[in-house]
Amino acid sequence: MTVRRVLPVASGKGGVGKSTFATNFALALSRVAPTVLVDLDPGTSSIRNTIDAPVERDLYHFFRRGEPLSRCLTTLPERLDRRGLFKGFAFVAAPRHAMEEFTNLDEAHRLRLIRAINELPAAYVVLDLRAGLDTNVLDFMPHSNSGILVFTPHPPSATLAAADIVKALLFRKLRIIFAPNGPLATSRAAAPQLNTINALLDRVEDSYDDSLPNLDAFLVDLAHAFGETPLLHALADVVASFSVYFVLNFFDGVKESFEGAIAPFLTAVQRNVSVHVKAHNLGWVVASPELHRANSERVPLLLQTARAAAAEPERDRVTAELDELAISLGLAPKARPKASPSPLQDYLLSIDPHRALAEQLEILTAMHRSTAAAHVRDNFAYIVRRVLHILATAGPDHFGQRRLLTPSELFEVLLASRGALTPAGGGDAGATPLP
């Protein structure tokens, strides 16, 4: 049985192709189990504009007309999915036009929506979050990982904005843990220590204060204030256990994308958050006119028939280097028979979750040997298998989350884990939880 998982897709900045990725990613997941895509960027209605499907009910009807969210699901019309390959896919559209009460949800609206999302009839729920950082984003994100971050090699601000999301998520968790009425505030004697810790967090979070540049420096100052304690080690574990998952969109070559996006992203996370945060690359989506054409036609890429490569397949890199070496030595390159074009295998037609790891390697090989434009679909086929492998092998808190938590539920979860943040033998309600 497929484990239910909520997978938020976020970006610190707009214009990075987040909604395009979220749509095609959710479609790919629906080949495995029922999947619902929820558009939580009500200011743009981007999912509605990406999929040419008639929408009878959307978030407007959920909030204003009292319709259950499960009745606001839109499925694909037959003309978009004639073979029924994506019958497990449905989406919840944002309102047709921007409305203030939906663009900036208040706490009551957010809580109601969170509870409704948790009741959706799906194995996977993909959330297309609005760009940026505010409560309409953070309240729908996991507390122990980043969900899926999407950024691009250009512009650099998109990369730095993605790193800001990592910082905001970790600080939200630490602020809850060390709140004056939080899980550790079980005695009056704890107040001075909590005040000290929050003052240090203020300095780390203040980008204009260079005295504490990141959480690693915060832990060092905490050690100076309280000494080596179980609390300090537990805090270090909180930081080190936080996992970041990202997808690089508009991929334009290994060297260019690494230098233009991945390296700056990791550098920003290490400099402003911690060198101990773990980052995982889920894959990439190549820069391709195929995606632009699909968006213009309002027929997502994965719903379109794979186009065969019009050009001759590229030579294997090793073969090309051998030919160049032969020429440099004054020798004629070895004549090789011209490869006849063969039908492209569509890795989205059959996805076996139990062979996700092995199929990742097969798709990587196919992407290496073929032109990028012909196999942009394979990028999504690879990413979904990587995600399925992680879901099958990692714990439920390592990637996405089993269900969305309201702020009070998040408080209770962290309170339940209080034992990990108290000194040995200091777990009773009357004990001072801080050193």
Side-chain angles (χ1 to χ4, degrees):
M1 181 177 178
T2 304
V3 176
R4 178 188 172 87
R5 200 69 59 96
V6 180
L7 300 170
V9 178
S11 66
K13 184 176 176 59
V16 300
K18 170 181 57 63
S19 295
T20 297
F21 169 80
T23 300
N24 286 286
F25 173 65
L27 282 165
L29 272 179
S30 74
R31 295 286 297 129
V32 180
T35 300
V36 171
L37 171 66
V38 183
D39 188 350
L40 293 184
D41 189 1
T44 63
S45 301
S46 52
I47 301 302
R48 183 195 293 267
N49 295 329
T50 301
I51 305 176
D52 185 16
V55 176
E56 294 185 5
R57 288 178 289 272
D58 54 31
L59 286 178
Y60 170 88
H61 299 82
F62 170 73
F63 285 122
R64 280 276 189 94
R65 302 292 178 85
E67 289 282 0
L69 195 62
S70 58
R71 280 180 48 81
C72 297
L73 299 180
T74 298
T75 56
L76 297 174
E78 184 180 357
R79 59 183 168 77
L80 291 184
D81 185 25
R82 297 188 183 282
R83 298 169 62 188
L85 297 177
F86 300 94
K87 59 186 178 182
F89 173 82
F91 68 95
V92 177
R96 186 183 300 113
H97 302 294
M99 302 176 68
E100 176 63 24
E101 67 177 290
F102 305 137
T103 302
N104 297 296
L105 298 177
D106 59 24
E107 183 178 9
H109 281 79
R110 289 197 303 275
L111 295 181
R112 183 180 166 198
L113 183 55
I114 284 173
R115 295 187 178 104
I117 288 173
N118 287 334
E119 299 299 322
L120 284 173
Y124 303 111
V125 176
V126 177
L127 306 179
D128 180 25
L129 302 179
R130 65 193 296 176
L133 276 174
D134 56 33
T135 52
N136 287 306
V137 173
L138 294 179
D139 277 0
F140 293 91
M141 296 284 279
H143 68 86
S144 58
N145 63 84
S146 68
I148 302 176
L149 300 180
V150 178
F151 57 93
T152 67
H154 308 287
S157 56
T159 299
L160 300 180
D164 286 341
I165 290 180
V166 177
K167 182 176 180 179
L169 287 172
L170 258 172
F171 270 86
R172 180 180 68 154
K173 183 174 183 178
L174 292 173
R175 291 291 190 185
I176 292 174
I177 291 174
F178 293 112
N181 60 340
L184 299 181
T186 56
S187 72
R188 186 171 299 176
Q193 291 92 338
L194 287 175
N195 291 338
T196 298
I197 291 173
N198 277 285
L200 291 176
L201 285 175
D202 288 340
R203 289 167 57 193
V204 181
E205 203 166 17
D206 186 351
S207 59
Y208 293 92
D209 186 345
D210 297 330
S211 61
L212 284 181
N214 54 34
L215 289 174
D216 298 335
F218 160 77
L219 291 173
V220 170
D221 266 31
L222 206 60
H224 290 159
F226 300 133
E228 292 286 336
T229 66
L231 171 70
L232 189 67
H233 293 293
L235 276 175
D237 288 342
V238 167
V239 176
S241 64
F242 192 88
S243 296
V244 176
Y245 296 90
F246 66 92
V247 169
L248 186 61
N249 202 11
F250 304 142
F251 181 83
D252 58 358
V254 174
K255 184 175 185 294
E256 294 80 2
S257 294
F258 177 80
E259 294 178 353
I262 297 177
F265 172 72
L266 295 178
T267 298
V269 169
Q270 292 173 355
R271 180 187 299 124
N272 301 323
V273 185
S274 170
V275 298
H276 301 293
V277 171
K278 297 185 292 294
H280 308 269
N281 183 4
L282 294 175
W284 58 92
V285 180
V286 297
S288 168
E290 297 284 322
L291 280 172
H292 176 71
R293 183 185 301 111
N295 287 337
S296 299
E297 296 172 354
R298 297 181 63 202
V299 180
L301 181 78
L302 266 63
L303 296 181
Q304 301 196 7
T305 303
R307 293 181 171 90
E312 181 181 345
E314 294 179 343
R315 292 179 300 168
D316 179 84
R317 184 182 57 166
V318 175
T319 300
E321 290 178 354
L322 288 174
D323 289 347
E324 291 174 4
L325 178 61
I327 293 173
S328 68
L329 295 176
L331 303 173
K334 182 179 179 181
R336 294 179 176 84
K338 186 175 181 179
S340 58
S342 58
L344 299 179
Q345 180 175 352
D346 193 337
Y347 291 100
L348 291 164
L349 296 182
S350 177
I351 303 175
D352 183 353
H354 304 292
R355 297 191 66 250
L357 181 59
E359 291 181 356
Q360 281 182 61
L361 301 178
E362 180 181 341
I363 298 170
L364 272 177
T365 301
M367 289 191 296
H368 169 70
R369 290 179 177 173
S370 304
T371 60
H375 280 277
V376 63
R377 291 165 60 89
D378 289 349
N379 296 161
F380 290 100
Y382 172 82
I383 291 169
V384 76
R385 284 168 172 82
R386 178 135 170 73
V387 165
L388 291 171
H389 176 67
I390 293 171
L391 292 177
T393 56
D397 291 331
H398 286 267
F399 182 44
Q401 52 192 329
R402 292 284 183 91
R403 60 191 298 274
L404 295 178
L405 299 176
T406 66
S408 61
E409 289 172 335
L410 177 56
F411 181 93
E412 293 298 324
V413 167
L414 296 176
L415 181 64
S417 63
R418 170 177 171 258
L421 294 169
T422 55
D428 63 282
T432 301
L434 298 173

